[in-house]
Amino acid sequence: MAKQDLLFDSLTGKWEQGAFLGNGLLGVMVYRESPNALRFDLGRTDVIDHREGINPSIGRARLPIGRFLLETSAPITGVRLRLDLWNAELSGTLTTAKGTIRLRALVAATRDLILFGTETSGAETVRWQWKPEPAVSPFLTLGRDSAGKYPPNPPAQSGQSEGASYHLQPLLAGGGHTTAWRSISAGNWQWKAVALTNSREFKGFGDHGQSNALAQNTTGGTDASVSKALIELRSLQPAAIRSIIDAHRAHWHRFYARSFISIPDKRLESFWWIQQYKMGAATRPGALPIDLMGPWYRITPWPKYWWNLNIQLTYYPFFSSNHVALVQPLLDMVTGNIDNLSRNAPAPYQHNSAALARSGPYDMVSPVRVTKGNDSTGSSASMELGNLTWLLHVCYQAYEHTMDHRIQASLYPVLTRAVNYYRNIVEKGPDGRYHLPYTYSPEYPKGITRDANYDLSVLRWGLRTLLDANRTLGYRDTLAGAWKDLLDNLTDYPKDQYGFRIGRDAAFTLSHRHYSHLLMVYPIHDISWDRPGDRDLIRRSLEQWKRNDESWRGYSYTGSGSIHALMGEGDSTWKLLNEMMKGRFAIQPNTMYLEAGPVIETPLSAVTTLNEMLLQSHNGIIRIFPALPAAWSDVSFDKLLARGAFEVSAVRQGGVTRFVRIRSLAGGPCLLRTGFAGPVKMIGPGTVKLQPRADGLLSVSLKKGQEVILYSGQRPASLLARGVNGDDRNNYWGVHPMK
């Protein structure tokens, strides 16, 4: 893991070049404030205003908190810092003309505490300063609206109590958040312990949440956050610091054991590991889902949730990377807000429908205005009908990768309502097929069209999924007949000589960063490369999208790379990932990604694409090493997660797959395409039978907890997935001289 760490041989004054720490709720970004100071920006994902009746980009937006400054008595002349991924800690040395400062910083994984430690030598001294930020929506700060129309939040209150200092920021609509801190000496080390609390906190309920309301602590009002902060700090003694750090490290060591990859491209390998760390630092059960910035606040025009691609791409990599538990906040948000999702539909449909427009706050209030027979004159944002169903496609993978029927059952009512909205507005045409009215295909400049491929893709998936869930759960839903009729008679995807159109009325002729018109190819896989008759259509559609890339952004490269991966074209996928790293909107030195503000989905979506080069599991088949570049002769991975709840490990050496390990977490049949050249042998329980099929697939059925190891030829001497050799790009990421 040390080879993957981010190294900082200098620090700039840019957020996107800083070191980031987090525990799934609290976040810290570390970068340069001035020649004499480092800044430690604080963030908390549920510090959100909650005013009703105004623009949610202002009234229910993420809010800034503030920063701590570490000030030295002389200018900083040298920086040697390491973001130690294995221990999730920033450590190193600052040098000045007067001496050195040893620094440690972490956001505790098992306590909502931030710890900053310093040890000085020579004549150097350290002073910490707290610099609060006004609780103002970044939307107003950027001049996107008139601040004069919105009364400001009340002034902050500062004080001291129980040996700690605190800064309380009340909110006009009630509640508030507090930053509190105290100093602790432990030998030569001086620690600054920081608690960041909120009187309005996210409530998750059980394994499969029933509510996700941001509920104010009515017993304490705005003072509740002060009380909670002081409680966090009250018991801290030097020995407690050590215990917190030990528990923090143990948490992260368990986290990294969930999965493993090693590839010859060490820059990309390190990038993968840093994104695993980023996922674990950005969210956790019981917190809010990840928005566009995660817990690392930065001024942005996007201070809420965007539902037409961003959140979907953010969450896909959690499944194959074997971190499904971290998706729980998203499941809680969706299932807990079914009433608001229903009210997002037009009044005539609210009794049985649900919807979600382009963007909105944590309560998922974002109305859609599509009705049967509507014309094309509506607001594009309010005509994005497919967003909720696409989001449910993400959520449903939590079921597919665990086979936990409780998840399936919790999503069933929401998916039923999302599909019912479509049932309410389809009309049967003279051709005997059901057609959709005007909707909007996300972000295409002329994307208002009937029979939008975006909607047809997610609708087909929703119908098939409901019919399957109805059988699996034994519901005997009275709507099943209507679902099957709609599925069997739904109009075909509009297409032309270039491939898939945007919709019936809109050809794909303009540069477009989204691949919303291609969802049936990826990630829904309704149009499949496995079927030879679909291949020409897929290739024509992909090439038409790639032909004009002037509007492309980072996730355009990951999306097209994933389509090449499902086509088995690993060299093209690898090339596209490298182009994403260095393009006009390049991945930044700390692996964050910016356009007008942070957009966390792009680097995370690259993890999905890389995982799909190593393992794919769509349409009922697990594919091992399906899209490796020719240059990657040695590759290994351990415990990537496939649909059906199978942990998969595999090793390839000298261009030959040496072994594949399959472990079932839930029990069930498994279909495999291994790529072995000769007859396949198996190590496993005597009762398990491996059955080769005429189509080249292998079939094996496993009970929960059983595993088998497959190989061809001589039994491998080692059955461990180890690191492979590659280029010399260790510790590529961070801010340091290029070698």
Side-chain angles (χ1 to χ4, degrees), residues 234-253:
R234 182 181 297 152
S235 62
L236 287 185
Q237 300 297 329
I241 298 290
R242 182 69 263 169
S243 296
I244 291 169
I245 293 173
D246 288 345
H248 169 83
R249 290 183 171 185
H251 167 90
W252 279 100
H253 298 171

Side-chain angles (χ1 to χ4, degrees), residues 374-394:
N374 64 284
D375 61 25
S376 61
T377 59
S379 154
S380 64
S382 68
M383 297 178 73
E384 285 182 0
L385 181 54
N387 298 340
L388 176 58
T389 315
W390 189 12
L391 184 66
L392 290 167
H393 180 267
V394 178

Side-chain angles (χ1 to χ4, degrees), residues 303-445:
K304 49 183 181 176
Y305 292 91
W306 257 255
W307 304 111
N308 62 1
L309 175 139
N310 304 80
I311 303 306
Q312 287 88 334
L313 268 58
T314 295
Y315 274 93
Y316 278 128
F318 287 83
F319 304 106
S320 54
S321 294
N322 207 355
H323 292 298
V324 181
L326 296 183
V327 185
Q328 190 62 51
L330 183 64
L331 301 179
D332 289 345
M333 177 177 274
V334 170
T335 58
N337 276 308
I338 189 168
D339 290 342
N340 286 344
L341 292 169
S342 298
R343 284 189 285 268
N344 286 337
Y349 310 144
Q350 290 179 2
H351 67 287
N352 72 347
S353 300
L356 187 62
R358 178 175 302 166
S359 64
Y362 52 82
D363 58 11
M364 306 190 85
V365 173
S366 189
V368 172
R369 294 290 179 258
V370 176
T371 56
K372 178 178 282 192
N374 64 284
D375 61 25
S376 61
T377 59
S379 154
S380 64
S382 68
M383 297 178 73
E384 285 182 0
L385 181 54
N387 298 340
L388 176 58
T389 315
W390 189 12
L391 184 66
L392 290 167
H393 180 267
V394 178
C395 294
Y396 205 74
Q397 291 196 45
Y399 160 68
E400 293 179 317
H401 285 79
T402 63
M403 303 308 292
D404 185 338
H405 292 293
R406 294 173 299 172
I407 299 175
Q408 187 184 34
S410 72
L411 295 171
Y412 188 92
V414 191
L415 184 56
T416 297
R417 283 181 165 268
V419 167
N420 277 345
Y421 194 150
Y422 283 108
R423 289 183 54 240
N424 288 331
I425 63 172
V426 295
E427 292 187 279
K428 187 169 281 191
D431 58 357
R433 310 296 292 274
Y434 289 108
H435 294 269
L436 293 172
Y438 287 99
T439 61
Y440 184 62
S441 184
E443 298 209 14
Y444 192 70

Side-chain angles (χ1 to χ4, degrees), residues 118-119 183-191 237-242:
T118 57
E119 181 188 55
S183 298
I184 301 166
S185 296
N188 295 328
W189 282 85
Q190 299 297 315
W191 289 93
Q237 300 297 329
I241 298 290
R242 182 69 263 169

